[in-house]
Amino acid sequence: MGAENDSENDPAMTILPIDPVANATPEALRGFLATCRTAAQRDGHAKLVSISIAVDALDPLAVLESIFEPDEPHFYAERVSLDTAIAGAEAVVATDAHGPERFAAAQRFIDETLAHTIAVGEVEAAFGGPHFFAAFAFENELAPGEPFPAARVFVPRWQVARAGSGTTAVANLLVTPDAPLELLAEKVWRAHGKFRTFEYAAPEPPTQTADARATLKVTDQGDYPAAVAQAIARIAAGEFSKIVLARTRTVQASEPLHPLQMLNQLRQRFPECHAFSIANGRGQSFIGATPERLARVSRGALETEALAGSAPRGASATEDARLGAELLRSDKDRREQRLVLDSIQRRLTPLGFALEFPAEPILKKLANVQHLLTPVRAVLPPHVRLLDVLAQLHPTPAVGGSPRAAAIAGIRQLEGFSRGLYAGAIGWINARGGGEFFVGLRSALVDGCTARLFAGAGIVAGSAPEKERAETELKFRAMQEALKL
Ligand SMILES: C=C(O[C@H]1C=CC=C(C(=O)O)[C@@H]1O)C(=O)O
């Protein structure tokens, strides 16, 4: 992940040359909000007002933890190795979408919102300006009652992000034609003061810590090796050449699980992954540390990757290197990964992309597992946007299969549970069209005292049920350690 500062794209919003720090008085703020309200009255449409300021160095996760409210939605993403983290909470504007056009519907919402956005302050800074946080489930239709819809996009009320040594705080508010100015100004003034000299909350009492928590029950759903055996038979019959089958494990704890405490474990142990949390504001959070970037757009370039094929890490340097070398030579894993790369090429070429990638995959080494990885780069063709790319790529054969439609039908029949956000696309987009999405892997749905863990493995000709089961055990380990199991 990186700060998306896409200087060549003009943002589609109005930027007013007002410095909110130099004009930081309650009167100046009221005056500014009055201007915004006049614009809302003139256009007969509420304005999203976005105020960005540079602040003293802050840890966005600690900020989120300090002001965490289980009944407010939040979004968090961090890539420790790239020294970037972004947090946002409470929704000022939001939309849900479903169906095959959900990415296009999300784009329309973003365009319409930006057409009525007034931004001031450090809009050009890394993570300046309003950001749209988004989560797309694996499937484009979900049954009612799921914790997250097929697509949700929201702009947070506040956002704090760090890129290297710079920290930017953004306050977003909706100014309607009849907005109560005094009240709004007072709220923003308070938020402004809070982020400029942020005081982290005092530590939680000891009974709330993970160490005091006991695991009461661990339950696995379904018979995974049997499902894999059926998938192998269907591959032999020519139904599909690859299918990614997942399994779930439910962990019941003696005390409520705190998603942000688990995230702190994940970010420390998986610096090369995106650690993330997305909360629905109804007490449920989807969290994880994923190794897979789906797409990043920054400065007119697209970055994506083909990640698939897995091996354990070795206990010694020699064993680790041997396992890595075997993975690089493994015909089965190379086919599994090649299908992902082929699909990326097949789906992005018609959009006008000329993809650049190395001929041979490299190893991506995580604490619990290593994968084959081909990084892919391309110049973004004119008029192609990040969500167009997502609509083409998702789901890649790293989480679905090949051919796509047959594999997805097979997943529904063989898995027997709803994936929800597992293997979905999670990320953000800024006002310039830059942004980043990753795939919701190595993840869990946390709800009160329960965590539902997800892990899957790619099945091709030559796969063996027991080996695939062992591979999913390794993948479960990331979340199990965060739960201190
Ligand atoms: C589907 C998952 O991982 C994917 C990403 C990397 C390697 C994979 C594999 O080797 O099977 C999977 O395609 C998962 O972690 O649940």
Side-chain angles (χ1 to χ4, degrees):
M1 140 175 168
E4 316 304 333
N5 172 343
D6 312 84
S7 37
E8 62 272 65
N9 284 352
D10 281 336
M13 60 186 181
T14 305
I15 301 175
L16 293 183
I18 296 172
D19 178 349
V21 176
N23 293 289
T25 64
E27 296 71 39
L29 183 61
R30 258 198 312 277
F32 166 62
L33 292 177
T35 312
C36 298
R37 190 174 66 176
T38 306
Q41 287 163 351
R42 186 193 58 221
D43 296 353
H45 197 293
K47 298 287 165 189
L48 176 69
V49 176
S50 183
I51 306 169
S52 302
I53 54 171
V55 294
D56 291 345
L58 286 175
D59 175 2
L61 182 59
V63 175
L64 187 58
E65 198 167 32
S66 291
I67 48 190
F68 175 76
E69 301 276 358
D71 54 357
E72 291 291 354
H74 75 237
F75 180 99
Y76 185 78
E78 173 166 14
R79 180 88 179 255
V80 171
S81 61
L82 298 181
D83 214 7
T84 55
I86 182 165
E90 303 175 34
V92 183
V93 287
T95 194
D96 290 353
H98 63 97
E101 297 303 315
R102 62 186 166 148
F103 293 102
Q107 186 66 60
R108 272 197 306 279
F109 169 75
I110 293 173
D111 291 342
E112 281 162 19
T113 305
L114 288 176
H116 292 284
T117 295
I118 300 170
V120 292
E122 300 283 336
V123 179
E124 305 289 336
F127 294 118
H131 281 57
F132 294 83
F133 295 127
F136 298 92
F138 177 75
E139 295 272 8
N140 60 34
E141 293 288 356
L142 293 181
E146 288 268 346
F148 293 90
R152 169 157 299 159
V153 185
F154 76 98
V155 176
R157 187 167 300 286
W158 63 264
Q159 176 195 311
V160 172
R162 194 173 53 78
S165 56
T167 304
T168 309
V170 182
N172 298 308
L173 59 148
L174 205 61
V175 178
T176 53
D178 58 352
L181 283 188
E182 288 295 323
L183 206 71
L184 270 186
E186 207 179 291
K187 265 193 188 167
V188 179
W189 186 248
R190 256 190 277 125
H192 181 265
K194 188 167 186 165
F195 288 115
R196 290 200 70 195
T197 52
F198 192 79
E199 302 261 356
Y200 298 112
E204 304 248 311
T207 49
Q208 294 289 306
T209 67
D211 297 335
R213 204 169 49 225
T215 302
L216 298 181
K217 209 163 135 202
V218 178
T219 325
D220 283 353
Q221 284 82 34
D223 182 343
Y224 188 68
V228 173
Q230 285 186 49
I232 293 168
R234 287 167 74 162
I235 289 169
E239 204 176 316
F240 30 74
S241 51
K242 174 177 178 181
I243 182 168
V244 180
L245 280 189
R247 52 190 287 225
T248 67
R249 170 169 290 172
T250 305
V251 175
Q252 184 77 37
S254 60
E255 289 185 36
L257 299 161
H258 197 305
L260 300 183
Q261 281 175 2
M262 292 163 70
L263 208 60
N264 196 32
Q265 306 284 327
L266 289 172
R267 70 170 176 173
Q268 287 180 31
R269 191 150 157 76
F270 297 96
E272 298 297 333
C273 291
H274 280 96
F276 64 88
S277 170
I278 176 153
N280 66 3
R282 286 180 281 122
Q284 291 149 323
S285 305
F286 185 70
I287 73 166
T290 177
E292 188 175 355
R293 170 188 276 166
L294 185 57
R296 172 175 184 230
V297 165
S298 179
R299 298 168 196 269
L302 168 74
E303 289 169 82
T304 178
E305 63 192 29
L307 182 94
S310 307
R313 296 296 308 268
S316 66
T318 307
E319 192 197 9
D320 196 48
R322 181 180 56 75
L323 289 166
E326 279 172 13
L327 179 60
L328 281 167
R329 280 196 307 266
S330 156
D331 172 60
K332 182 214 124 200
D333 290 281
R334 291 291 286 253
R335 275 186 284 121
E336 232 182 285
Q337 197 255 352
R338 185 74 214 186
L339 282 168
V340 183
L341 186 58
D342 289 348
S343 163
I344 292 173
Q345 267 193 290
R346 222 177 25 251
R347 293 192 177 265
L348 292 188
T349 307
L351 293 185
F353 282 98
L355 303 180
E356 291 167 29
F357 51 86
E360 295 292 316
I362 54 171
L363 291 173
K364 172 137 184 164
K365 288 180 183 276
L366 314 176
N368 54 337
V369 66
Q370 42 192 326
H371 298 300
L372 297 176
L373 169 80
T374 302
V376 178
R377 275 187 70 86
V379 170
L380 196 69
H383 313 301
V384 174
R385 306 205 275 176
L386 179 49
L387 288 178
D388 301 327
V389 173
L390 252 53
Q392 284 299 312
L393 289 183
H394 176 78
T396 72
V399 292
S402 186
R404 181 186 283 174
I408 290 178
I411 287 170
R412 288 184 195 131
Q413 291 153 2
L414 292 170
E415 282 184 352
F417 61 87
S418 166
R419 287 186 172 195
L421 288 183
Y422 164 72
I426 297 165
W428 78 91
I429 296 178
N430 67 19
R432 297 173 182 279
E436 179 155 18
F437 280 80
F438 41 85
V439 186
L441 301 177
R442 320 296 149 84
S443 49
L445 178 68
V446 179
D447 185 358
C449 298
T450 307
R452 185 170 211 203
L453 280 52
F454 299 86
I459 315 299
V460 291
S463 292
E466 204 34 55
K467 271 194 171 164
E468 302 300 335
R469 195 198 60 77
E471 188 178 310
T472 53
E473 287 297 329
L474 281 182
K475 290 171 178 166
F476 272 142
R477 232 186 248 174
M479 286 308 304
Q480 292 190 173
E481 281 167 6
L483 281 162
K484 300 233 162 108
L485 287 186

